[in-house]
């Protein structure tokens, strides 16, 4: 149970002040509602109501007086106006005042997580952005798209007849074409969206691109996206007001969607990690995640952009978990700076990785390890294999950015041997150590000779070609190796032990111990 007292304590870190609490601080909070200035939404007596769009004392007082919510959060100064205080006494709602610099989206996510954690899914669902687009199109008189900050299409109106080529490409590709983006950037369109709430008329900038009326979608000071309407000048004054009203409504839908998605991501991540740790009831957890209890694989992914690996990992996690319901093939969790994803084996992991890369900025570099095929109870083993594949890439044993255990199990085994050697699990004395010391002190090439000879399966001519020496030179070195050590190269067990020991030998052990 979360009380008003607890909410005040948490939000206090954001400079929040409790203006009044007519029913005391022990009021129980169970839900979150967002005020929509354009339409009425019912609230519960245990809801926290975010007073979005109450830009004046009069509007705030009217909202507080008419609500049934337990608490109302408002942007404004710490001192509560007498009119709002009187309204709170009338309705019984507590009033919290938050610095206007704190984004509504931040508040929504924080309160949603705090209040609804452990209480099951929220009754709030993402609003119908397509209906918002239709409503704007009906008033403005042109086809509409609603886009996010990456110029990806979130929704579009039904009215799309006689549209220009750029809009067709935008809707079919779900994002604005690159040449159009460049023209808009050069014209200063995105700069306007970042700094102004006023609609902007954009002329036809490229062939196939007609005029657009655009407006930012904003929650407080935070830019969430934009609304685009294809228009032909002159534009009626009613169109401007319709755009502004539509953008406000779209902002509320996006905030609701984000608040719900954040909580769902956390629940998904907890379930995925419990599967990977082996602590979950695998069939039940997979069922809750919407995954069939068949063959699965684990992908471990490390993303970085310059020095900012944590930011890139967060972005990869956001992209991997975006989208509604069960349309996504995998389920993901972010642990540290590694993204883990559980995928059904019938969904190729490389295809999933390619689709994720298309959603990331061009400057983000990605290394990934793909674990072996596993049943639900063996997911911890697939996770370990994915991590080892990723480590093999980092260690330079594999050059490709995507390392698949099925293809690179040998390199993973070599990494395990090296790890065992570094931990003191393999002998540090004996023939290999003696030859390493001989090479280091006298500049000989005995270890390289052994590696080449063993790799060639004992074929002296092939080993000599690999080393670029005469076969007689190779035979001489092999005799010296047997004289300097207790090795008997004609014994199969000793050759196998040598192969393992040389594979585990750290790369920095000698200037000539690798070929």
């Amino acid at each position: 149970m979360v009380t008003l007292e607890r909410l005040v304590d948490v939000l206090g870190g954001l400079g929040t002040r409790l203006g009044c609490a007519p029913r005391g601080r022990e009021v129980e909070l169970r839900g979150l509602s967002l005020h929509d200035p354009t339409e009425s939404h019912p609230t519960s007596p245990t809801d926290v109501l975010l007073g979005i769009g109450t830009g004046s004392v009069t509007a705030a007082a009217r909202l507080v007086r008419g609500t049934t919510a337990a608490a109302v959060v408002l942007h404004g100064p710490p001192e509560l106006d007498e009119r709002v205080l009187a309204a709170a006494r009338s309705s019984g709602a507590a009033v919290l005042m938050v610095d206007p610099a704190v984004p509504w989206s931040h508040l929504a996510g924080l309160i949603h997580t705090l209040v609804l954690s452990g209480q099951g899914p929220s009754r709030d669902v993402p609003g119908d952005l397509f209906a918002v687009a239709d409503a704007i199109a009906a008033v403005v008189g042109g086809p509409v798209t609603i886009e996010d900050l990456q110029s990806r299409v979130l929704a579009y109106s039904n009215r799309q007849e006689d549209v220009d080529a750029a809009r067709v490409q935008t809707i079919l590709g779900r994002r604005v074409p690159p040449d159009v983006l460049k023209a808009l950037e050069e014209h200063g369109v995105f700069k306007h969206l970042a700094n102004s709430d006023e609609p902007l008329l954009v002329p036809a900038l490229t062939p196939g691109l007609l005029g657009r009326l655009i407006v930012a979608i904003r929650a407080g000071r935070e830019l969430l996206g934009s609304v685009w309407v294809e228009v032909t000048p002159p534009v009626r004054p009613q169109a401007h007001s319709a755009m502004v009203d539509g953008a406000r409504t779209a902002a509320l839908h996006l905030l609701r969607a984000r608040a719900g998605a954040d909580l769902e991501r956390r629940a998904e991540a907890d379930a995925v990690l419990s599967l990977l740790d082996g602590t979950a009831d695998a069939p039940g957890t997979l069922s809750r995640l919407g995954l069939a209890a068949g063959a699965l694989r684990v992908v471990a992914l490390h993303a970085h952009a310059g020095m900012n690996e944590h930011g890139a990992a967060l972005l990869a996690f956001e992209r991997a978990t975006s989208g509604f319901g069960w349309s996504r093939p995998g389920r993901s969790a972010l642990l540290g700076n590694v993204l883990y994803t559980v995928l059904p084996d019938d969904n190729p992991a490389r295809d999933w990785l390619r689709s994720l890369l298309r959603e990331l900025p061009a400057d983000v570099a990605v290394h990934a390890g793909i674990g072996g095929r596993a049943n639900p109870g063996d997911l911890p083993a697939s996770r370990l294999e994915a991590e080892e594949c990723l480590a093999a890439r980092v260690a330079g044993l594999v050059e490709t950015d995507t390392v698949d255990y099925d293809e690179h199990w040998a390199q993973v085994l070599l990494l395990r041997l090296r790890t065992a050697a570094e931990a003191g699990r393999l002998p540090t004395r004996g023939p290999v150590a003696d030859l390493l010391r001989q090479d280091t002190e006298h500049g000989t090439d005995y270890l390289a000779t052994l590696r080449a000879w063993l790799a060639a399966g004992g074929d002296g001519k092939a080993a000599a070609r690999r080393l670029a020496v005469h076969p007689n030179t190779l035979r001489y070195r092999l005799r010296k190796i047997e004289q300097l050590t207790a090795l008997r190269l004609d014994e199969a067990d000793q050759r196998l032990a040598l192969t393992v020991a040389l594979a585990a030998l750290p790369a920095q052990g000698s200037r000539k111990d690798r070929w």
Side-chain angles (χ1 to χ4, degrees):
M1 181 185 72
V2 176
T3 63
L4 176 63
E5 178 76 27
R6 173 61 176 156
L7 179 65
V8 172
D9 287 344
V10 172
L11 295 185
L14 301 176
T16 301
R17 180 181 179 274
L18 179 63
C20 64
R23 290 188 283 161
R25 290 173 174 249
E26 296 305 313
V27 173
E28 187 174 341
L29 306 176
R30 292 183 178 273
L32 174 68
S33 293
L34 308 178
H35 171 57
D36 188 338
T38 63
E39 54 182 308
S40 175
H41 287 283
T43 56
S44 163
T46 57
D47 274 0
V48 178
L49 176 61
L50 297 190
I52 300 172
T54 52
S56 66
V57 173
T58 301
R62 184 166 54 248
L63 175 66
V64 173
R65 187 180 301 277
T67 189
T68 60
V72 179
V73 180
L74 300 172
H75 271 164
E79 297 77 23
L80 198 60
D81 187 276
E82 283 298 327
R83 288 169 286 179
V84 179
L85 182 58
R89 289 170 180 156
S90 173
S91 66
V95 179
L96 293 84
M97 304 302 294
V98 185
D99 187 332
V102 179
W104 284 116
S105 59
H106 189 118
L107 289 169
L110 186 61
I111 297 173
H112 196 286
T113 302
L114 175 68
V115 173
L116 298 179
S117 179
Q119 297 184 19
S122 167
R123 54 185 172 77
D124 269 336
V125 295
D128 188 355
L129 279 177
F130 286 88
V132 176
D134 285 339
I136 298 172
V139 177
V140 180
V144 174
T145 56
I146 298 175
E147 301 171 11
D148 66 8
L149 293 179
Q150 285 75 45
S151 296
R152 295 177 301 182
V153 176
L154 302 175
Y156 52 88
S157 62
N158 281 326
R159 179 178 174 175
Q160 296 294 333
E161 65 274 12
D162 300 324
V163 296
D164 61 34
R167 183 171 296 275
V168 172
Q169 293 179 50
T170 297
I171 292 175
L172 292 179
R174 304 294 288 180
R175 64 174 68 237
V176 178
D179 59 327
V180 176
L181 279 176
K182 181 179 179 182
L184 294 171
E185 178 72 35
E186 292 174 350
H187 191 70
V189 171
F190 297 112
K191 183 177 181 180
H192 172 85
L193 290 173
N195 295 289
S196 175
D197 293 331
E198 294 298 319
L200 173 69
L201 181 61
V202 181
L205 299 176
T206 66
L209 175 66
L210 300 180
R212 298 284 193 274
L213 185 64
I214 66 167
V215 69
I217 301 174
R218 206 181 307 276
R221 299 180 183 180
E222 182 181 6
L223 181 64
L224 301 177
S226 54
V227 179
W228 300 67
V229 185
E230 186 177 313
V231 295
T232 302
V235 179
R236 297 174 299 159
Q238 300 94 311
H240 286 257
S241 58
M243 290 284 286
V244 172
D245 291 342
R248 288 173 181 164
T249 303
L252 293 170
H253 289 312
L254 292 178
L255 286 175
R256 289 191 186 103
R258 179 186 291 185
D262 286 346
L263 187 62
E264 290 168 6
R265 283 190 178 108
R266 277 185 276 274
E268 177 179 321
D270 289 343
V272 168
L273 290 176
S274 68
L275 285 171
L276 301 184
D277 290 340
T279 58
D281 166 34
T285 302
L286 288 170
S287 178
R288 289 195 299 273
L289 288 171
L291 293 174
L296 303 160
R297 287 183 188 269
V298 177
V299 178
L301 182 147
H302 178 237
H304 59 91
M307 299 299 290
N308 187 7
E309 62 181 40
H310 292 287
L314 285 169
L315 183 59
F317 177 57
E318 191 275 332
R319 293 292 183 266
T321 53
S322 63
F324 286 105
W326 315 121
S327 60
R328 293 184 284 113
R331 300 293 178 266
S332 301
L334 184 64
L335 187 61
N337 62 349
V338 177
L339 171 68
Y340 294 94
T341 297
V342 177
L343 285 170
D345 189 45
D346 58 4
N347 187 279
R350 289 181 182 273
D351 291 346
W352 178 84
L353 284 166
R354 280 192 288 267
S355 67
L356 179 63
L357 281 173
R358 287 195 294 268
E359 294 294 320
L360 296 175
D363 63 337
V364 173
V366 170
H367 296 156
I370 302 172
R373 190 172 184 265
N375 61 42
D378 291 332
L379 282 173
S382 186
R383 171 196 180 170
L384 178 60
E385 290 163 354
E387 291 174 337
E388 289 178 319
C389 286
L390 191 58
R393 171 63 179 87
V394 174
L397 294 176
V398 183
E399 294 183 358
T400 59
D401 287 335
T402 299
V403 184
D404 191 322
Y405 182 77
D406 291 346
E407 299 176 12
H408 299 96
W409 63 269
Q411 287 79 8
V412 170
L413 177 59
L414 294 181
L415 181 65
R416 290 175 183 171
L417 292 172
R418 288 188 179 181
T419 302
E422 291 170 358
R425 301 289 298 276
L426 293 178
T428 57
R429 296 185 296 168
V432 174
D434 292 341
L435 292 174
L436 174 60
R437 184 167 51 253
Q438 180 76 17
D439 282 353
T440 302
E441 294 176 357
H442 302 285
T444 51
D445 294 311
Y446 294 140
L447 286 181
T449 299
L450 269 182
R451 285 183 189 275
W453 184 73
L454 291 168
D459 185 333
K461 292 183 177 179
R465 285 196 300 270
R466 185 159 196 151
L467 292 169
V469 299
H470 193 279
N472 289 339
T473 302
L474 178 74
R475 286 191 287 271
Y476 170 77
R477 290 181 184 177
L478 293 176
R479 287 196 299 271
K480 289 293 293 184
I481 287 171
E482 288 189 319
Q483 292 172 8
L484 291 169
T485 66
L487 285 174
R488 295 296 176 264
L489 297 180
D490 57 341
E491 294 185 10
D493 286 348
Q494 293 208 16
R495 291 197 300 272
L496 176 60
L498 272 176
T499 301
V500 172
L502 289 172
L505 190 66
Q508 66 272 24
S510 168
R511 64 183 178 89
K512 297 182 178 180
D513 67 342
R514 300 186 75 190
W515 39 263

